[in-house]
Amino acid sequence: MVELMETIRPTSAPPRAVSGAPLAHARVRILATADDLFYREGVHTVGVDRIIGDAHVTKATFYKYYRSKDALIVAYLNGRDKRVREFFASLEADFDTPEQRLRRLVAEISEQVMQDGFRGCPFINAAAQFTEPQHPVREAITAHREWYIAAVEDLFRGMGHVRPGDAADDFFLARDGAFAFANLGDPIAAHAALQRATWRLIDQTGQ
């Protein structure tokens, strides 16, 4: 919604100095740099020294704000989670019905998978590299997924689906599959398949 993404959209490059303008605060630069690199290259692939260099901070400054790389990964995922929640809040404000909100969610996901630089779901990508359920990174992933699934279930419940929990599960199976399909190189087919699956679920409402 993300990872929706879980911007919904991938973030832009980290803030850099322009003529006559100061760099953003060091904490902001570190997180923005990590957000960009972690999503594009993977949370295990990118090291602390790379982030320090690209963010133009010292090692002491890095550890002043983030006690470890894992703490930075959690902050990265929490930032992605925050953007998805904000997107859902905008759906509540901009659309009157649960069906309209769900259709807009699918449209946003479909736009995301078609973008250059799409690398799949940041949460799924991170989960593949942290398998211990009690690890703070994994806990951040679990918290996001539980909230996101419940939010979609509420949309189906609002539409009158007789089994909103099952519908949400089916939606996420299609959504996660579309993310993987697009990341493997066929975003058009992924976009079409997600839409077909979701419209079938909408057709079941009220039965």
Side-chain angles (χ1 to χ4, degrees), residues 67-181:
R67 66 185 183 278
S68 66
K69 180 182 171 182
D70 284 358
L72 180 58
I73 295 170
V74 170
Y76 154 67
L77 294 172
N78 286 342
R80 294 271 171 159
D81 172 75
K82 180 175 182 288
R83 292 196 289 273
V84 180
R85 291 174 189 254
E86 289 172 347
F87 179 80
F88 266 78
S90 75
L91 293 179
E92 291 283 342
D94 295 341
F95 297 95
D96 294 331
T97 69
E99 181 177 337
Q100 290 172 339
R101 294 166 192 155
L102 182 62
R103 287 183 182 275
R104 180 63 194 121
L105 172 62
V106 171
E108 182 67 30
I109 293 171
S110 296
E111 291 170 15
Q112 182 183 3
V113 302
M114 300 288 286
Q115 290 178 343
D116 291 338
F118 178 72
R119 296 291 183 271
C121 171
F123 292 89
I124 294 174
N125 293 346
Q129 300 177 57
F130 290 89
T131 59
E132 173 55 48
Q134 281 72 48
H135 192 284
V137 171
R138 193 73 185 212
E139 289 177 345
I141 294 166
T142 298
H144 169 77
R145 291 283 293 192
E146 288 179 348
W147 167 81
Y148 195 176
I149 292 169
V152 172
E153 181 177 342
D154 283 345
L155 292 179
F156 281 111
R157 183 174 293 108
M159 284 185 278
H161 199 289
V162 294
R163 293 183 297 278
D166 290 350
D169 290 343
D170 290 346
F171 172 83
F172 274 93
L173 183 63
R175 176 260 188 196
D176 293 348
F179 272 25
F181 204 173

Side-chain angles (χ1 to χ4, degrees), residues 12-69:
S12 58
R16 298 186 182 279
V18 295
S19 177
L23 284 170
H25 188 279
R27 183 199 293 270
V28 175
R29 294 205 311 277
I30 292 167
L31 185 55
T33 300
D35 187 278
D36 176 61
L37 293 175
F38 284 160
Y39 184 71
R40 286 194 293 112
E41 301 181 19
V43 294
H44 272 352
T45 302
V46 178
V48 167
D49 288 344
R50 171 85 179 281
I51 295 168
I52 287 170
D54 283 14
H56 306 289
V57 298
T58 65
K59 186 169 289 189
T61 298
F62 177 92
Y63 286 108
K64 173 183 177 182
Y65 294 116
Y66 300 98
R67 66 185 183 278
S68 66
K69 180 182 171 182

